[in-house]
Amino acid sequence: MTIRSPSPQRDRIVIIGAGFGGFQAAQSLAGAAAEVLLIDRNNYHTFVPLLYQVATAQLEPSLVAYPVRTKLRGMHNVRFLQAEVKRVDFHHKLVDLGDNLIPYDYLVVATGATFHDYGVPGVAEHAFTLKSLRDALRLRNHVLQCCEQAAFTSDDQERQRLMTFAIVGGGATGVELAGALAEWLRGAVRRDFPELTNWGRVVLLQSGSSLLPEFSQRLGNYTHRHLGRLGVQVHLNAKVTACSDQGIELSDGDAIAAATVVWAAGVTANPPTLAQPSHQKAKGKLALRETLQLVEHDNVYAIGDVAYFEQSGEALAGVAPAALQQGVAVARNLRRQLASESPRPFRYLNKGRLAIIGGYGGVGSVLGINFGGWLAWLMWLLVHVVYLPGYRSRLLVLLTWVQNYIMGDRALRQLSAQTYFKS
Amino acid sequence: MTIRSPSPQRDRIVIIGAGFGGFQAAQSLAGAAAEVLLIDRNNYHTFVPLLYQVATAQLEPSLVAYPVRTKLRGMHNVRFLQAEVKRVDFHHKLVDLGDNLIPYDYLVVATGATFHDYGVPGVAEHAFTLKSLRDALRLRNHVLQCCEQAAFTSDDQERQRLMTFAIVGGGATGVELAGALAEWLRGAVRRDFPELTNWGRVVLLQSGSSLLPEFSQRLGNYTHRHLGRLGVQVHLNAKVTACSDQGIELSDGDAIAAATVVWAAGVTANPPTLAQPSHQKAKGKLALRETLQLVEHDNVYAIGDVAYFEQSGEALAGVAPAALQQGVAVARNLRRQLASESPRPFRYLNKGRLAIIGGYGGVGSVLGINFGGWLAWLMWLLVHVVYLPGYRSRLLVLLTWVQNYIMGDRALRQLSAQTYFKS
């Protein structure tokens, strides 16, 4: 069945993906002279930077997921459709949902990235990732199940395996998760499981020679020391060659017995299946003009992690501020096209970078100044609470953090897998 | 493997089930001269009376689930084990977990009740129930999926089926859910789904001639009128003969096309599999002495919905206050047995009953006075917030309710099934 626009006399803009870029583009198109249809497989926008706090039982899942429809209330030209996109046909201007076809006049591809295993065997089957709310809940539930099992077993070796958590990847996600996991195990888990005389082992494996390579070497060293103080074992120049339900193997022949392996080592673009091949760059990203239009199609834009954009000779990093700014720029260019004006080039305004380690530690690089310590930690928290959608989430996240840090405990309930996944 | 007590010189009390009765018994045994082991398949205690508010997106799931281990912190003789009990052997005094055996000296069976389909075909496969947190989340997600699909379909008949919600059973659960569902559909759902010109149909089917039969006929009539004002269609004397994915069939030949059928028509006791048959009464409940011990075994107690207890010639209703009082009484009798004293008879102190309808309506029967209206509504909310375990839940539940009632909206996010169940 072909789903026509409710106002066939107006152009229809279809946006695929309600992540930072797509959700922003839809909001910036409120009131435009076109029907906008935003499509996502979930009916919520995920605030990905805080997923690691869901995975470590710091935040309620619903605080990092904002219902798309609630945000679009009152934007009368913007509609939402919860669906999985099967294929995009640029020639016929159709988005194929399997059982339905959606015709479009303009298209915005904002489907983000997915995890990349770099060909390491066993990663897809056995490792946890942290790209979606479901991933975060799975990881949280799994950690709690490991603790429950470890509390009950009388086999010392098995208990050690259950309480070993290996994180592969020393970028922002790996560092954040390692710090938060160590804090959780030493805090709430230790109090809730008096049977566990040992609070578990968190191992962070980085293939390169420094943590957080997007920051300076000095901040990488600071991060290494700070994680060490939190009880995280950092292994640099560690190359993982295999992953199984027993743990991981390294290129130097070492093996780490771990019931939990988290893969935070890298991502690849996640474009929809295309009926006509499009020019793709590094990591499968779609090639763009400087106006964010696809090289081949005037009426198709791509933004965020699925798009390859170069500025001053360098590819833009896959970070939320870049996707948000691109969402605004695409909406502006679409309005120009609707008014028969030509789109304008996009320029990314880099306001700096921050990463959080945990235990009052963070690193930052803002306006050319590199700094590590509690100021970067506090700035990270404040920036993220400001960008969170919805005043209710902001308030509750702030209150939860205050409670967590004052009590040194987890306010959030230690609910295990069966709540969500078992019958 | 047989799991021995960490202090083999002391008696071991095993409690199966961390519902109202079992969780209370464990807490009341803190400091007793025995090792206490509480077993439940979930690592949390579920506050069942508020599940209908989770199912209707009023409350966060974690607010009605309290982590057992957190509550037991500091009770050094009480341990928790997350496991499924396969069988109980009274003669050998063993609880069988499948791969492990737990020996006990005293046993408390507090495994509650499960839904009962009265032999109506299709109920087990197609109907939703509301006995666990998972049930509540499944129902919430399903309602939201029905709305998403209804917003998208161009088939009027299908849209009507998707937006019809049939609730079978006119007791407290059915009435509460019907009222809350009608409020949800007319409030947040209507605002979030401008495509839906019709806000859905809630049908409540009661096999008897009055709603809330445990209250007076006058309050049943008041409940009927009040639900009508909220937009609920009440059918009295309606007997459901079949349930399918298309809806339900009634004994008078009528059929209701409904994508959602909730079975709130009754429960049956849910004892563990017993190696030696025990005397069972109505609805499979275990027969008790007046001391709450099993008729056949001095060292085994049963409490709550799994136990049959008669007082003044009437069976005790399966309500939380009865289970809580029994939990306290069992702990007291166990302490007496440990001190070689004989257990004492249990007496239930009935403080009255309350039921909530929604829309500022409720009914109550307290100290022989029957009343319906906003006072009963308010009393229901206050009593339940007081009995909720944990100050954090109490505060957040209160704040959520205030926000819901002031805004006429749902503070909670409209997250759909994919968060929890799909990949």
Side-chain angles (χ1 to χ4, degrees):
Chain A
M1 192 170 60
T2 302
I3 307 290
R4 302 274 161 212
S5 171
S7 316
Q9 70 283 10
R10 301 175 90 185
D11 281 333
R12 180 191 263 173
I13 301 168
V14 171
I15 303 171
I16 310 177
F20 286 106
F23 199 34
Q24 179 61 57
Q27 291 173 62
S28 297
L29 282 165
E35 289 296 323
V36 178
L37 183 65
L38 175 63
I39 304 178
D40 198 283
R41 66 163 67 106
N42 297 314
N43 70 353
Y44 52 86
H45 164 75
T46 308
F47 195 78
V48 175
L50 288 176
L51 282 181
Y52 82 97
Q53 298 207 354
V54 173
T56 51
Q58 284 176 279
L59 289 179
E60 291 278 4
S62 71
L63 293 179
V64 305
Y66 198 88
V68 172
R69 289 183 178 276
T70 303
K71 194 73 177 184
L72 300 183
R73 282 181 189 178
M75 300 181 186
H76 299 295
N77 67 321
V78 185
R79 291 178 68 206
F80 174 70
L81 172 60
Q82 186 181 1
E84 189 91 39
V85 170
K86 300 292 177 208
R87 209 174 69 129
V88 172
D89 185 333
F90 293 137
H91 288 174
H92 298 93
K93 300 194 210 171
L94 286 173
V95 173
D96 186 350
L97 306 179
D99 41 4
N100 290 290
L101 291 171
I102 311 274
Y104 65 80
D105 301 292
Y106 298 93
L107 181 68
V108 181
V109 180
T111 47
T114 186
F115 95 107
H116 188 32
D117 66 6
Y118 298 108
V120 176
V123 170
E125 298 85 349
H126 300 291
F128 289 81
T129 54
L130 207 50
K131 291 294 294 172
S132 69
L133 193 56
R134 186 186 152 93
D135 290 345
L137 284 169
R138 275 186 65 219
L139 179 54
R140 183 187 85 181
N141 293 335
H142 178 76
V143 171
L144 283 166
Q145 286 299 308
C146 287
C147 297
E148 291 287 351
Q149 288 171 31
F152 185 48
T153 183
S154 50
D155 175 340
D156 285 344
Q157 206 173 332
E158 174 64 1
R159 184 165 48 242
Q160 197 148 10
R161 191 184 74 86
L162 287 165
M163 293 305 288
T164 300
F165 305 89
I167 299 166
V168 184
T173 304
V175 165
E176 286 160 7
L177 185 63
L181 196 53
E183 286 188 291
W184 185 23
L185 293 171
R186 293 170 79 156
V189 168
R190 189 173 48 81
R191 295 191 206 183
D192 275 351
F193 293 85
E195 304 94 328
L196 296 173
T197 46
N198 164 326
W199 59 60
R201 180 178 168 220
V202 179
V203 187
L204 179 63
L205 299 129
Q206 164 70 323
S207 60
S209 60
S210 174
L211 294 176
L212 298 180
E214 67 273 32
F215 290 90
S216 69
Q217 176 75 45
R218 189 176 63 79
L219 291 182
N221 295 344
Y222 165 80
T223 303
H224 194 148
R225 285 195 309 277
H226 197 84
L227 282 176
R229 277 200 293 275
L230 292 175
V232 176
Q233 298 175 10
V234 179
H235 294 228
L236 296 177
N237 303 307
K239 302 229 176 359
V240 175
T241 53
C243 176
S244 73
D245 60 352
Q246 293 303 305
I248 51 175
E249 289 168 33
L250 301 174
S251 61
D252 61 6
D254 268 10
I256 298 176
T260 309
V261 178
V262 183
W263 192 259
V267 295
T268 185
N270 185 34
T273 304
L274 304 175
Q276 299 84 27
S278 185
H279 188 187
Q280 283 171 290
K281 299 279 223 171
K283 296 183 180 172
K285 293 183 177 186
L286 299 172
L288 296 185
R289 308 179 210 175
E290 58 178 3
T291 53
L292 302 174
Q293 288 160 295
L294 287 202
V295 172
E296 304 92 344
H297 302 282
D298 274 351
N299 66 331
V300 183
Y301 290 81
I303 53 180
D305 286 357
V306 77
Y308 184 87
F309 189 85
E310 243 176 43
Q311 187 164 304
S312 319
E314 256 187 87
L316 228 55
V319 292
L324 288 168
Q325 291 181 29
Q326 289 180 328
V328 173
V330 159
R332 191 194 58 212
N333 279 347
L334 281 166
R335 285 176 191 262
R336 293 184 64 87
Q337 285 191 297
L338 291 169
S340 304
E341 298 173 313
S342 50
R344 287 188 176 157
F346 168 71
R347 290 286 305 164
Y348 173 53
L349 173 65
N350 189 345
K351 297 178 189 165
R353 293 192 81 155
L354 292 164
I356 192 161
I357 309 170
Y360 310 100
V363 298
S365 170
V366 179
L367 303 168
I369 304 169
N370 293 320
F371 55 106
W374 66 267
L375 184 64
W377 175 82
L378 192 65
M379 279 176 71
W380 191 97
L381 292 176
L382 291 179
V383 165
H384 283 84
V385 93
V386 166
Y387 274 94
L388 203 61
Y391 76 96
R392 181 173 175 274
S393 316
R394 279 183 214 127
L395 181 70
L396 286 175
V397 166
L398 262 183
L399 288 176
T400 307
W401 284 345
V402 168
Q403 192 189 0
N404 286 346
Y405 289 112
I406 289 176
M407 297 177 54
D409 201 351
R410 289 286 189 270
L412 188 65
R413 305 324 181 61
Q414 318 289 321
L415 302 185
S416 74
Q418 273 143 317
T419 317
Y420 300 112
F421 297 114
K422 293 188 194 160
S423 61
Chain B
M1 192 168 65
T2 301
I3 307 291
R4 302 273 162 213
S5 172
S7 316
Q9 70 283 9
R10 301 176 90 186
D11 279 333
R12 181 191 261 173
I13 301 169
V14 171
I15 302 171
I16 310 177
F20 284 105
F23 199 33
Q24 179 60 56
Q27 292 173 62
S28 296
L29 283 165
E35 289 296 322
V36 178
L37 183 65
L38 175 62
I39 305 178
D40 197 284
R41 66 162 67 105
N42 296 314
N43 70 353
Y44 52 85
H45 164 75
T46 308
F47 195 77
V48 175
L50 287 175
L51 283 180
Y52 82 95
Q53 298 205 354
V54 173
T56 52
Q58 283 176 282
L59 290 179
E60 292 279 3
S62 70
L63 293 179
V64 305
Y66 198 87
V68 172
R69 288 183 178 277
T70 303
K71 193 74 178 185
L72 300 183
R73 283 182 189 176
M75 300 179 187
H76 301 294
N77 66 321
V78 185
R79 292 178 69 207
F80 174 70
L81 172 60
Q82 187 182 359
E84 188 92 40
V85 171
K86 301 290 178 209
R87 210 173 70 129
V88 172
D89 184 334
F90 293 136
H91 287 176
H92 298 92
K93 299 194 209 173
L94 286 173
V95 173
D96 186 349
L97 307 177
D99 41 4
N100 290 289
L101 290 171
I102 311 275
Y104 65 80
D105 300 292
Y106 297 92
L107 181 69
V108 181
V109 180
T111 48
T114 185
F115 94 107
H116 187 34
D117 65 6
Y118 297 107
V120 176
V123 170
E125 300 85 349
H126 301 291
F128 290 81
T129 53
L130 207 50
K131 289 296 292 172
S132 69
L133 193 55
R134 186 186 152 94
D135 290 345
L137 283 168
R138 276 187 64 219
L139 179 55
R140 183 186 85 180
N141 292 336
H142 178 76
V143 172
L144 284 166
Q145 287 300 307
C146 286
C147 296
E148 291 287 351
Q149 289 172 32
F152 184 46
T153 184
S154 49
D155 176 339
D156 286 343
Q157 207 174 333
E158 174 65 0
R159 184 163 49 243
Q160 197 150 10
R161 190 184 74 86
L162 286 165
M163 294 304 288
T164 299
F165 305 89
I167 299 165
V168 184
T173 304
V175 165
E176 286 161 8
L177 185 64
L181 196 53
E183 286 189 291
W184 185 22
L185 293 172
R186 294 170 80 156
V189 169
R190 190 171 50 81
R191 295 191 206 184
D192 275 352
F193 292 85
E195 304 93 330
L196 295 174
T197 47
N198 164 326
W199 59 58
R201 179 177 167 221
V202 178
V203 186
L204 178 64
L205 298 129
Q206 164 69 322
S207 59
S209 60
S210 175
L211 295 176
L212 299 180
E214 65 273 33
F215 290 90
S216 69
Q217 175 75 43
R218 191 177 62 81
L219 291 181
N221 295 344
Y222 165 81
T223 304
H224 193 149
R225 284 194 310 276
H226 198 84
L227 282 175
R229 278 200 294 274
L230 293 174
V232 176
Q233 297 174 9
V234 178
H235 293 228
L236 297 177
N237 303 307
K239 303 229 174 2
V240 175
T241 52
C243 175
S244 74
D245 59 352
Q246 293 303 305
I248 51 174
E249 288 168 35
L250 300 176
S251 60
D252 61 6
D254 268 10
I256 298 175
T260 310
V261 177
V262 183
W263 192 259
V267 295
T268 185
N270 185 32
T273 304
L274 304 176
Q276 299 84 25
S278 185
H279 187 188
Q280 282 171 291
K281 299 279 223 169
K283 296 181 181 176
K285 293 183 175 184
L286 299 173
L288 297 185
R289 308 181 210 174
E290 60 179 1
T291 53
L292 302 174
Q293 288 161 296
L294 287 201
V295 172
E296 303 91 343
H297 302 283
D298 273 352
N299 67 330
V300 183
Y301 290 80
I303 53 179
D305 286 356
V306 76
Y308 184 87
F309 189 84
E310 243 176 46
Q311 186 163 309
S312 319
E314 255 186 89
L316 228 55
V319 292
L324 288 168
Q325 291 181 28
Q326 289 179 329
V328 173
V330 160
R332 191 195 57 212
N333 279 347
L334 282 165
R335 286 179 192 260
R336 293 184 65 88
Q337 284 191 296
L338 292 168
S340 303
E341 298 172 312
S342 49
R344 287 189 178 158
F346 168 72
R347 288 286 305 166
Y348 173 53
L349 173 65
N350 189 345
K351 297 178 189 162
R353 293 193 81 155
L354 291 164
I356 193 163
I357 310 171
Y360 309 100
V363 297
S365 170
V366 179
L367 304 170
I369 303 169
N370 294 319
F371 55 108
W374 66 268
L375 183 66
W377 176 82
L378 192 65
M379 279 176 71
W380 191 96
L381 294 176
L382 292 179
V383 165
H384 283 84
V385 92
V386 166
Y387 273 95
L388 204 61
Y391 77 95
R392 182 174 174 272
S393 314
R394 278 182 215 130
L395 181 69
L396 286 175
V397 165
L398 261 184
L399 288 175
T400 308
W401 284 345
V402 168
Q403 193 189 357
N404 286 347
Y405 289 111
I406 288 176
M407 297 178 53
D409 202 349
R410 290 286 188 269
L412 188 64
R413 305 324 180 62
Q414 319 289 322
L415 303 185
S416 73
Q418 273 144 320
T419 317
Y420 301 111
F421 297 113
K422 293 190 195 161
S423 62

